[in-house]
Structures are given as structure tokens and as C-alpha cells.
Amino acid sequence: MPKSKRREDDSNDDRDRDYNHTTTVSPSPEPMKPSDTDSGIDAAELDRMANQLVRMALFGELTRTTIKKANIYKTIISDSIAANMKLKTYRNVFVMAQKKLRSIFGMELIPLPPKEFPEDLSINTTHLATTRSNRSKRPKRQKTESGEGQDEDDVGDVYMLRNTLPLEYRQVVAENRSVDEQEFYGQAFIICSIILLHPKGYMERSDLSRYLIPLGIDLPMFDTLISKLTSHSYVVQQSNNDPGRAIQKRRQYYSLGPRAKVEFGDNQGFKEICSKILGETFNPKISTQIDSRLKAVKMLHSPVASNQISDVGVGIDNLEDVEVGSGDD
Amino acid sequence: MSDTERAFLQTFMAQRVLTNLEAKTCLEKLRRIEKESFEITDEDTNIEKVIVSVNKSIDEFGLTIVKSRDETQPDLFHYSLVNKLGNEMSQSATTLSANELDFFKILLDQMFTGRQHKPDKDQFWIPFSGLLECSQIQGRRYEEKRNEGQFTVDEDGRKVASVYQKPLKVSEYKALIEKLRQESWIIFQGSDDSRRILPSPRLLAELRPYLTERYSQPAAEEPANGHNYLRNCVACRSIFTRGKQCSTPGCPTRLHISCEDAFYRQHQSNTCPACNSDLKDSAITV
């Protein structure tokens, strides 16, 4: 409503109604279709919990915070629900939230890929101390291309949001990020690309930092950047803190972190950058090499169209390992 | 929702506030992708229509996109994605740590009720040098709380555990101010030493409930001299921080520059509706 017309109604009580001259919309909530709600839990209650999960996911993503399954249990699944119904409730809530995220926000929750380090480096585990405990000790099984969602190993207890919009749309969104955010994202992309393209799949600190000097990133800047990248799971840091070694010989290695695999898991993006860097020397052979490297580090591929993903979503088939805390069943 | 609408919403999630021009440019780009053609119609770039549709979808999550007119430029509008459940500031400013949030609240106190406000002249901006004072206040509170011991009593008389919010160091609050600017909570005006910190359209839109509750007194409880920190524009009724203040001491009339012309036209006079003194020429610009 244009401001100029507002004055006719000069009474004070329009203040509350009028939320900062909002484009006010009062939607009529659509009746919930209870999907599989034989659990006896009110559909409206499930809907409320799903909305809460959506908010949690969206606000978490702003600070690149991951969402932990245990935390969903703690803060969203209402205490009034009987302990033996919690798992079923959680599943329903997750499915509903996933639907909403995809259809409204163009995003989806996916399990954070496990933090893992290239094998040839982790063989010497006695010399290597992982900076963060490696959560996933599950055997690795190749996920089927069709993404049937039957693969139980593809389940984590930590989630992050992934964009499901087509690439061109995502680019428009990216253009509108703040300058600092764009700069950080660009640097993250370049560092991850360098690590990815390194034959070993991981890099020693001084090697990596040397590559960045031409880009104007000096050592102090590198340190700040790498700690930010580590804390947001773009890279995983591993150091050999073998106490027997002299301090000077202790080294730090970096490999791709879970978030990089999700966010940059788009072959096209990597290839495009490589072809730009290599210019005329880029050829089909290199292209194949890049493909095999991407495969080797198990990069996640670009999101499939939302209608191709089963509604059950990923990560809810294997919930039994969640510790709910109340063991009175 | 279409991909265009989803991407438009994602842009708001990333940016929080877009001007009408930015929103239009963004929508144009998205429509060209959607239509796979450079030719798009005015209907395609109707921002209001897209926002109505988006708002319908995000309402259930306590989110909404609100439109507000710039306080000084009549043709400039700001669209802000607002967290409606954000009555408590901590729910809105989720990217801040506890002591940063504490500093931010002190900054707001200074902006809206600081010593620079005079009964006859509002001033909602603070100079950069005013940050030092915010820092000192935070330091004093920290000391007080520490001396008080384990519990304090809050405004409602409840006993709450004292939280010692360690005061921010100079480098920390400078970084915070930059962060607040990037997240569109505040805006800067001027350059270098004479820089001013002003409340932003996002701040006024998203924290309106908080600001109103904290800084505005109901008419009945107004102090005798008529001094009340937070007032609404007589024309548009949204929060006033920049524009014209009636020159009569204690008169509550405030008017945005961007609302001025329309107000005189509608009102069919240039006088203050409360005290009848001339607004157009003799009101104080704040």
C-alpha cells in the first residue's frame, strides 16, 4: 500500500496491524495431508516441528553451521512425545521438512560426507594425529548413480544444506552475495581446486601456500584463511605430530573437507576453471584426468532435479543409532 | 514456487536487504534464464507480485519480506527479509556471539537514547568516536556484574544467573561494526574521521518490535517535557530516525523527507497537525 494513502487511517491502532508498511499477505494455511501419521501425533504438531527444522537448517546455513541429528532430537522433537514414538516422529518431521526445503527454498538437507584423508597418508597413523576425530568409521561403499537411496552407508548424523537450483540460477544468487562473501567463496574455491588437482589429493602446508602467493595471499593471510576454511569444513587438516620428531619436521597436510565436496562437487565448475588456467593446453586427456580425480575424492555430483529424489530423502533409514537419551522403552 | 521465485528468495537469504533497483535487476536476470530469452515483459519483473507469492510460502516459517520506503529518498524502497519471530534480538542476529550481541545492544541504546538526543533535537546517528563510549559501558557493566556475584535481578524481578559478557577489545568491536554493516544492520555515512553510524532499513524493519518495546513510551507515560526517544512519522507511521522534527519544543510531530510532499498535499496545509506551527520551512531537519 502506498504510504500516501495511509494517512486516512490516522488512528493509533493501525500500528500493530501495519508491519512497517508491509506488503501484507495473510495466507490461508493449507490443510495438512497427514502422510504416514498413524503414529497418532497430531498433523499440525508435526507440521510445526517440520517448520522449526526448516528454520534451524536455514539459520544454521547462514553461519555455515552443520545440523546435528542429536540436536534436532533435543530442540525440535517435543518432549510430550512418547519415547518409543520419537524415532517415527523424527522420520516424519524430516521428510516434511525436506519437502518444504526443496519446494520453497530450493535447498535440501544432505548428510555431511565423512571427513576422510587420502589413504596413502593415513597409513602411517602412528605418526599422524587427526586434528578432529574422524566421525565416520563405516566401510565405504560406492553410492549407486541412480541415487536410489537404499544405501545405508550413505547416512551420517550431521547434515548440511545443499542448493538444488540449476546452476544458472545459483549463479545469479551468488552474484548478489556481499563482496566479502564473494571474495571468501572465490578463495575457498581456488584453494580447494588446487588441492583437488594435486596428484596426491592432499597437500603440505608450504606447498599449498606457495601456490597462493601469485594471488596476493601472503602467509599471515593464508593462516587466517586456512583456519576459516578448516572451521567451515572446506578443508581437513592433518598434522604429523609424532612426538619423536623435531618440531621443525612436523608438518601439516590439507585435503578436501566435506563441505567442499558438497558445494564444489560440480564437475563443470572445476573443469571450467582448469580450462581457463591451462588455456590452450587444456585437452580431452586432461579432462578425463580431472574426471578420474573427482571420482577418486568422491565428490558429490551436481544436484539432481528435485522430482528425481525420492521423498523419503537421504539419511533417515538408519536412525537407530541416534542416542535419544531417554532409554525407557 | 518456480525456480525463479526460489532463487529470488535465496538472494534475500544471502543479502537480507535489496533496494527496489537491485531486486528488479535480480528478477530480470532470473526471468531471462527461465524464459531462455532476452525479451521479458514488465509483468515478468513485477517485484510486488513475486514477493506476494514468496511471502505466502514463507509465512509458516515466521519469515516475510517487507517493503519500506527510504527515509530520505522518495523513489527508493528497501525490501528486507524479516524474521517475524525475532522479538528477541538474539533470534535475529544469529551470527553474533554473546558478547558481540551485548555490544550491539549497547550500540542501539546509544543510537536511540544516547546523550546526543536533546529534547528539541533528535539525533539517531552516532559518530565513530562514540564506539569508545559503548565499549566503556560494556566494560563497566562487566565489572558491576562481576562484583554482584552469581545472580542478578532482571527487569521483571526474576533472578537470573549473571552472564559476564567480556567487553570487546578495540580490534574486536571494530571488526563487529564492519560485520554489522555487512549484514545490513547499520549504515555508514561520511568518510574516515567524520564517519557516522546510522540505523539501517533492515534494522528498522526487522527489529521494529524490539525497538518499539525498548525505546518508545506510550503517550500516557510520556515525560512532562514531551521527550520521547522513538517516534513514528506522522505520514507513514513507521519509525522515524531521519527527516523533519517540528520546531516547537516537546512537540511529537516527526515527518520523513520522503513522505513530506504527499503529506502536505493530503493534509492540505504545511502545518504541524499537533501544534499548528509551520513544518515546511521552520521544522528542524535531523
Side-chain angles (χ1 to χ4, degrees):
Chain A
M1 192 195 286
K3 279 180 174 187
S4 49
K5 289 185 186 158
R6 185 65 48 72
R7 247 170 305 109
E8 297 157 7
D9 186 8
D10 218 0
S11 62
N12 276 348
D13 59 10
D14 75 339
R15 275 185 217 180
D16 295 329
R17 246 195 354 244
D18 154 23
Y19 197 89
N20 217 28
H21 29 202
T22 319
T23 324
T24 319
V25 183
S26 45
S28 50
E30 283 169 31
M32 253 297 303
K33 283 195 201 93
S35 59
D36 188 25
T37 47
D38 46 303
S39 51
I41 294 152
D42 187 21
E45 178 70 1
L46 278 179
D47 195 50
R48 190 190 59 78
M49 288 190 276
N51 289 350
Q52 239 181 311
L53 178 53
V54 169
R55 277 175 66 88
M56 189 187 194
L58 292 173
F59 286 115
E61 191 57 22
L62 285 180
T63 46
R64 295 199 171 88
T65 316
T66 50
I67 299 142
K68 293 182 181 66
K69 202 188 276 179
N71 207 12
I72 301 177
Y73 258 87
K74 212 167 83 189
T75 55
I76 293 179
I77 306 299
S78 150
D79 281 340
S80 61
I81 290 160
N84 60 350
M85 292 314 290
K86 283 198 173 175
L87 179 64
K88 191 161 191 135
T89 311
Y90 174 82
R91 285 183 178 168
N92 283 329
V93 166
F94 194 98
V95 171
M96 283 167 69
Q98 190 76 303
K99 261 186 203 163
K100 289 171 191 243
L101 279 167
R102 286 185 188 134
S103 65
I104 297 168
F105 296 92
M107 313 244 204
E108 64 181 350
L109 283 164
I110 63 156
L112 204 66
K115 271 185 189 168
E116 52 193 2
F117 226 70
E119 276 168 17
D120 59 330
L121 188 67
S122 27
I123 290 168
N124 294 329
T125 38
T126 44
H127 300 290
L128 293 164
T130 341
T131 43
R132 285 185 193 180
S133 65
N134 202 334
R135 279 180 162 273
S136 173
K137 298 270 187 321
R138 295 193 188 95
K140 295 142 201 161
R141 209 194 294 166
Q142 202 64 40
K143 199 190 167 193
T144 45
E145 268 305 304
S146 53
E148 280 153 1
Q150 299 302 323
D151 193 342
E152 285 185 10
D153 293 332
D154 192 26
V155 168
D157 46 12
V158 185
Y159 295 91
M160 63 171 278
L161 273 186
R162 167 166 75 173
N163 207 320
T164 60
L165 290 179
L167 190 62
E168 308 102 289
Y169 288 93
R170 275 187 279 152
Q171 275 165 350
V172 176
V173 178
E175 282 167 23
N176 277 293
R177 291 172 184 228
S178 70
V179 178
D180 288 51
E181 182 61 26
Q182 283 187 28
E183 186 181 287
F184 171 69
Y185 201 73
Q187 288 167 339
F189 187 84
I190 287 173
I191 289 179
C192 293
S193 306
I194 294 172
I195 298 174
L196 176 83
L197 295 174
H198 197 269
K200 284 179 177 161
Y202 62 85
M203 282 179 90
E204 206 268 320
R205 191 187 128 87
S206 58
D207 286 343
L208 181 58
S209 61
R210 218 172 7 236
Y211 273 99
L212 299 170
I213 292 169
L215 300 173
I217 298 172
D218 58 14
L219 222 60
M221 276 167 79
F222 175 78
D223 284 337
T224 326
L225 191 56
I226 208 82
S227 68
K228 200 171 167 189
L229 290 175
T230 317
S231 70
H232 291 327
S233 309
Y234 281 104
V235 298
V236 188
Q237 181 183 322
Q238 189 139 335
S239 44
N240 60 359
N241 288 336
D242 177 15
R245 276 176 189 244
I247 289 173
Q248 301 92 301
K249 288 198 175 169
R250 290 181 191 171
R251 292 193 164 169
Q252 269 151 358
Y253 299 91
Y254 300 100
S255 71
L256 287 190
R259 188 173 285 276
K261 292 181 187 177
V262 174
E263 284 186 15
F264 305 142
D266 194 328
N267 302 15
Q268 281 175 355
F270 267 117
K271 270 195 197 165
E272 212 165 280
I273 273 236
C274 295
S275 69
K276 276 185 185 149
I277 292 173
L278 295 171
E280 287 174 359
T281 49
F282 187 80
N283 57 38
K285 198 183 158 199
I286 294 176
S287 173
T288 326
Q289 276 174 352
I290 292 171
D291 279 339
S292 64
R293 281 235 39 79
L294 287 165
K295 216 170 178 179
V297 293
K298 301 192 195 78
M299 294 292 274
L300 294 171
H301 293 278
S302 53
V304 271
S306 48
N307 55 8
Q308 289 177 330
I309 306 169
S310 80
D311 283 335
V312 180
V314 275
I316 58 159
D317 294 329
N318 192 19
L319 299 168
E320 279 70 22
D321 57 345
V322 177
E323 288 161 30
V324 188
S326 55
D328 48 346
D329 44 0
Chain B
M1 296 262 287
S2 64
D3 277 344
T4 297
E5 288 171 332
R6 290 186 196 113
F8 194 63
L9 174 56
Q10 282 189 8
T11 306
F12 272 101
M13 303 284 308
Q15 187 90 327
R16 303 311 292 244
V17 188
L18 296 176
T19 63
N20 45 345
L21 199 70
E22 288 165 340
K24 198 167 176 128
T25 314
C26 172
L27 192 57
E28 275 169 8
K29 283 183 193 164
L30 293 169
R31 287 288 190 215
R32 288 193 177 117
I33 296 169
E34 183 189 317
K35 298 199 141 188
E36 294 177 356
S37 148
F38 200 76
E39 298 299 318
I40 42 171
T41 62
D42 282 351
E43 181 63 15
D44 288 335
T45 55
N46 186 335
I47 306 171
E48 307 280 329
K49 215 175 150 189
V50 177
I51 287 181
V52 167
S53 157
V54 169
N55 274 350
K56 214 177 265 180
S57 300
I58 61 176
D59 184 80
E60 60 175 327
F61 309 105
L63 299 170
T64 188
I65 296 173
V66 304
K67 178 186 184 181
S68 55
R69 192 196 289 255
D70 189 85
E71 291 189 82
T72 50
Q73 298 174 52
D75 299 330
L76 183 61
F77 290 89
H78 305 274
Y79 294 95
S80 330
L81 178 66
V82 165
N83 176 7
K84 284 194 290 183
L85 308 181
N87 277 6
E88 240 323 290
M89 270 181 60
S90 52
Q91 288 187 12
S92 293
T94 45
T95 61
L96 305 184
S97 69
N99 54 353
E100 286 177 335
L101 189 65
D102 188 52
F103 190 93
F104 185 26
K105 284 185 177 176
I106 294 171
L107 177 69
L108 292 182
D109 285 350
Q110 288 294 305
M111 264 183 185
F112 286 90
T113 63
R115 274 184 287 113
Q116 76 278 12
H117 284 272
K118 300 281 184 294
D120 54 350
K121 194 172 190 299
D122 291 342
Q123 184 188 316
F124 290 92
W125 55 268
I126 57 171
F128 246 64
S129 53
L131 291 174
L132 184 66
E133 199 175 333
C134 296
S135 162
Q136 286 164 347
I137 293 173
Q138 195 179 31
R140 263 202 310 277
R141 287 196 194 161
Y142 173 67
E143 287 302 325
E144 280 167 16
K145 276 191 182 166
R146 222 171 40 165
N147 295 337
E148 271 171 27
Q150 243 185 329
F151 292 99
T152 52
V153 177
D154 71 3
E155 289 143 351
D156 300 330
R158 279 179 307 215
K159 232 181 174 188
V160 287
S162 289
V163 187
Y164 304 146
Q165 296 309 345
K166 281 220 159 155
L168 298 180
K169 295 180 197 130
V170 178
S171 61
E172 286 171 336
Y173 74 64
K174 283 194 171 155
L176 169 67
I177 290 299
E178 188 51 36
K179 191 167 161 187
L180 291 174
R181 189 191 63 80
Q182 273 174 27
E183 294 183 8
S184 306
W185 288 113
I186 51 173
I187 42 181
F188 294 166
Q189 209 178 52
S191 58
D192 300 330
D193 292 344
S194 57
R195 255 196 301 187
R196 297 168 170 188
I197 303 171
L198 283 77
S200 73
R202 177 188 178 190
L203 180 82
L204 300 181
E206 183 149 1
L207 294 185
R208 182 179 178 162
Y210 174 85
L211 297 174
T212 311
E213 192 188 316
R214 191 166 169 87
Y215 303 120
S216 169
Q217 287 160 304
E221 293 169 27
E222 252 178 41
N225 64 2
H227 191 39
N228 192 346
Y229 292 112
L230 198 67
R231 293 194 187 278
N232 294 332
C233 166
V234 282
C236 72
R237 301 235 147 260
S238 57
I239 291 176
F240 170 93
T241 68
R242 272 188 283 175
K244 288 197 162 178
Q245 172 176 8
C246 178
S247 57
T248 310
C251 178
T253 300
R254 306 285 187 278
L255 182 63
H256 288 137
I257 310 268
S258 53
C259 301
E260 205 182 353
D261 290 344
F263 180 75
Y264 297 145
R265 241 189 349 261
Q266 191 95 11
H267 199 59
Q268 290 177 348
S269 99
N270 297 346
T271 57
C272 166
C275 69
N276 271 328
S277 67
D278 179 68
L279 273 183
K280 194 173 184 180
D281 298 315
S282 58
I284 308 157
T285 306
V286 296

